[in-house]
Amino acid sequence: MDNWSLRRFRQDLSKFLELIEGYQIGDFNSLHVLLGKLESLDTFEYEVKDIVFHLRKRISGTMPETLNKYKISLDNTINLNNKDHQINDNLENFIFELNIDSFASENGNDGKPYKNCWHLDKHIDSSPPKYTHPTYHFHFGGEYIEGLDTGEISIFSFPRLPHPPMDIFLGFHFVISNFYSSKEYPFVNELKEHDDYKSIIKRAQKRLWTPYFNAFDSTNKHQDFTINNVFPLYIS
């Protein structure tokens, strides 16, 4: 189970922090805390909250159009089970949330936050789903926006969009690839071209994405990552 080596993960996190902190992207203190905790663990598990990204330029297409400042908080929890990872999904407990505060900042005054939340969920209910329910899926909403006055906005918890699971490395890669314009933020391409960064991301992909995407291989023997689980719209 070399892909899930805790020692390798600690080394990657240490190097990852060295790489990203020179760019002043956000507040990654929670990752330093996690790195310290990993030293005392002998099993692969972690819970990290508030990996914070800051954007101080408008993101094209956001509404209201006056929004020009953003705070993105990433929460991620991973615990492993004892199943054979060659044929089973070995993620026992999984949480991946993006909580977003957007502001119409003017003259140093941020005003009220406009909240948004995306949740990468794992389907664990054994009963037949009422709607299509991929094993891992993104959907809009979550506890972060429950109870808020939504005005005239209609919010749905579906569709559930198939997506492979992510850890802190793939989550970071997801955020800078989707929220940071490479034209406005030159660090994006610079970081993605760094050999250490690419190696860390590739190892994370091998841990979490290779078994997932092997579901589309006709010779796949995995019992959890099957074509019908990861993409139930597919009729075989």
Side-chain angles (χ1 to χ4, degrees), residues 105-138:
S105 183
E106 185 176 5
N107 298 323
N109 181 19
D110 289 342
K112 71 173 184 178
Y114 291 81
K115 296 181 180 292
N116 190 301
C117 180
W118 283 88
H119 186 77
L120 178 56
D121 198 12
K122 178 179 180 179
H123 178 54
I124 57 176
D125 189 355
S126 59
S127 60
K130 293 179 289 184
Y131 305 100
T132 181
H133 219 139
T135 301
Y136 288 93
H137 54 270
F138 258 121

Side-chain angles (χ1 to χ4, degrees), residues 46-82:
Y46 68 80
E47 177 182 10
V48 59
K49 293 181 178 294
D50 290 330
I51 304 173
V52 177
F53 301 80
H54 293 294
L55 293 91
R56 295 178 174 85
K57 297 180 181 179
R58 172 167 169 73
I59 300 176
S60 177
T62 55
M63 298 290 289
E65 293 183 354
T66 53
L67 298 178
N68 57 10
K69 184 178 179 180
Y70 312 86
K71 174 188 173 185
I72 302 172
S73 297
L74 167 61
D75 298 343
N76 184 216
T77 297
I78 286 182
N79 296 103
L80 303 186
N81 55 41
N82 295 319

Side-chain angles (χ1 to χ4, degrees), residues 14-185:
S14 179
K15 174 58 69 174
F16 195 74
L17 284 167
E18 290 180 21
L19 290 172
I20 65 178
E21 290 196 315
Y23 295 106
Q24 298 182 336
I25 307 168
D27 179 359
F28 304 121
N29 182 62
S30 58
L31 290 180
H32 283 284
V33 173
L34 173 62
L35 183 61
K37 289 181 178 179
L38 289 175
E39 295 295 334
S40 61
L41 295 180
D42 54 10
T43 58
F44 196 110
E45 61 180 28
Y46 68 80
E47 177 182 10
V48 59
K49 293 181 178 294
D50 290 330
I51 304 173
V52 177
F53 301 80
H54 293 294
L55 293 91
R56 295 178 174 85
K57 297 180 181 179
R58 172 167 169 73
I59 300 176
S60 177
T62 55
M63 298 290 289
E65 293 183 354
T66 53
L67 298 178
N68 57 10
K69 184 178 179 180
Y70 312 86
K71 174 188 173 185
I72 302 172
S73 297
L74 167 61
D75 298 343
N76 184 216
T77 297
I78 286 182
N79 296 103
L80 303 186
N81 55 41
N82 295 319
K83 295 180 180 179
D84 181 356
H85 72 286
Q86 298 292 342
I87 59 172
N88 296 112
D89 178 11
N90 56 337
L91 297 187
E92 181 72 22
N93 185 23
F94 178 78
I95 295 173
F96 186 98
E97 283 192 341
L98 292 174
N99 299 318
I100 305 170
D101 286 339
S102 303
F103 303 90
S105 183
E106 185 176 5
N107 298 323
N109 181 19
D110 289 342
K112 71 173 184 178
Y114 291 81
K115 296 181 180 292
N116 190 301
C117 180
W118 283 88
H119 186 77
L120 178 56
D121 198 12
K122 178 179 180 179
H123 178 54
I124 57 176
D125 189 355
S126 59
S127 60
K130 293 179 289 184
Y131 305 100
T132 181
H133 219 139
T135 301
Y136 288 93
H137 54 270
F138 258 121
H139 65 94
F140 178 78
E143 293 182 2
Y144 194 59
I145 60 173
E146 287 181 0
L148 295 179
D149 182 5
T150 57
E152 296 181 353
I153 299 175
S154 180
I155 298 176
F156 296 84
S157 63
F158 51 83
R160 296 177 175 90
L161 308 175
H163 197 284
M166 292 189 280
D167 61 6
I168 51 179
F169 303 126
L170 295 171
F172 180 95
H173 191 62
F174 179 90
V175 170
I176 68 168
S177 298
N178 284 281
F179 293 93
Y180 287 83
S181 164
S182 58
K183 182 178 180 180
E184 298 286 344
Y185 299 92

Side-chain angles (χ1 to χ4, degrees), residues 181-224:
S181 164
S182 58
K183 182 178 180 180
E184 298 286 344
Y185 299 92
F187 81 85
V188 174
N189 287 335
E190 182 179 339
L191 190 56
K192 287 181 178 180
E193 289 302 315
H194 197 289
D195 288 341
D196 286 332
Y197 182 87
K198 289 192 288 187
S199 294
I200 291 169
I201 296 301
K202 286 179 180 179
R203 280 191 288 272
Q205 289 176 164
K206 194 170 183 179
R207 278 193 299 272
L208 290 164
W209 286 5
T210 297
Y212 179 93
F213 285 113
N214 280 344
F216 298 92
D217 184 344
S218 61
T219 64
N220 176 49
K221 302 298 183 183
H222 206 281
Q223 296 180 8
D224 292 315

